[in-house]
Amino acid sequence: YNVSVASLKAWNNLATDVIFLGQTVNVQGTNLPATTELKPALETPKESSVDEMIRKQLASEPLLTSKPTSEQQERYTTALVVAKHLVGVPYLYGGNTTAGFDCSGFVSYVYSAAGFDITRKTSLDYFLSDTMKVAEPVPGDVVFFKNTYIPTISHMGIYLGDNQFIHAGTKGIEIASLDTTYWAER
């Protein structure tokens, strides 16, 4: 609608230029039609359709039963060293540098630093296009979660072994357990 970010921030008393899915943002100005219905760029799917989408995606993927090669495991080890070195870096929505990370920015950064050719995407995009089911996860594999802030694949981290993973949580880069109720439900 040809309005500046500064105007949007002023009209909505926002301290930052970060907005969230489902948040209402007021848009003012003479360049808008008398009645304007703003729709989200992406429609958020209902939970049952999300479960069906996940089931179909997993059904379409071959099951990987072999362990990583020694070269792949060496890269995984490098990725884990990089990831653990970043513990404490703050959370930043959209962040993909050591100034701050969100979950997919963190995973992309870590794997790129370990020599993997990886493009920055959302957790859902990674899940839908760059994954394989594994018979048994190994340290360095990616783990995905649904229903963290929207009802779809919405979070990811890196498996450390012993049911632990490292991720960009709301408090920054941290290690968490897959056994906690919150993560187990997702």
Side-chain angles (χ1 to χ4, degrees), residues 35-183:
T35 57
T36 303
E37 181 181 346
L38 299 177
K39 296 181 180 176
L42 297 172
E43 293 294 325
T44 302
K46 297 192 180 341
E47 187 168 350
S48 62
S49 64
V50 167
D51 290 339
E52 180 65 16
M53 178 267 306
I54 292 169
R55 188 192 64 68
K56 283 182 180 179
Q57 178 62 29
L58 292 174
S60 73
E61 295 175 357
L63 179 63
L64 182 63
T65 57
S66 62
K67 299 289 184 192
T69 66
S70 58
E71 180 184 334
Q72 291 167 329
Q73 192 56 58
E74 189 175 312
R75 282 189 185 179
Y76 270 8
T77 300
T78 301
L80 295 174
V81 168
V82 170
K84 289 177 182 176
H85 182 72
L86 296 170
V87 168
V89 170
Y91 179 85
L92 177 63
Y93 186 80
N96 60 0
T97 71
T98 56
F101 291 104
D102 67 8
C103 65
S104 58
F106 170 69
V107 169
S108 173
Y109 180 92
V110 166
Y111 283 110
S112 291
F116 289 91
D117 183 19
I118 187 167
T119 303
R120 167 70 190 271
K121 300 177 185 181
T122 67
S123 300
L124 179 59
D125 286 338
Y126 283 125
F127 179 78
L128 293 175
S129 60
D130 296 315
T131 61
M132 279 189 136
K133 288 185 300 190
V134 295
E136 189 172 324
V138 297
D141 281 343
V142 177
V143 291
F144 292 92
F145 303 90
K146 67 176 185 173
N147 302 334
T148 58
Y149 71 100
I150 55 174
T152 189
I153 298 295
S154 52
H155 192 68
M156 63 194 300
I158 302 170
Y159 186 66
L160 296 173
D162 297 324
N163 260 5
Q164 292 190 319
F165 71 105
I166 188 167
H167 68 118
T170 56
K171 295 178 183 173
I173 305 304
E174 61 186 1
I175 295 173
S177 173
L178 293 167
D179 295 326
T180 63
T181 303
Y182 181 83
W183 296 113

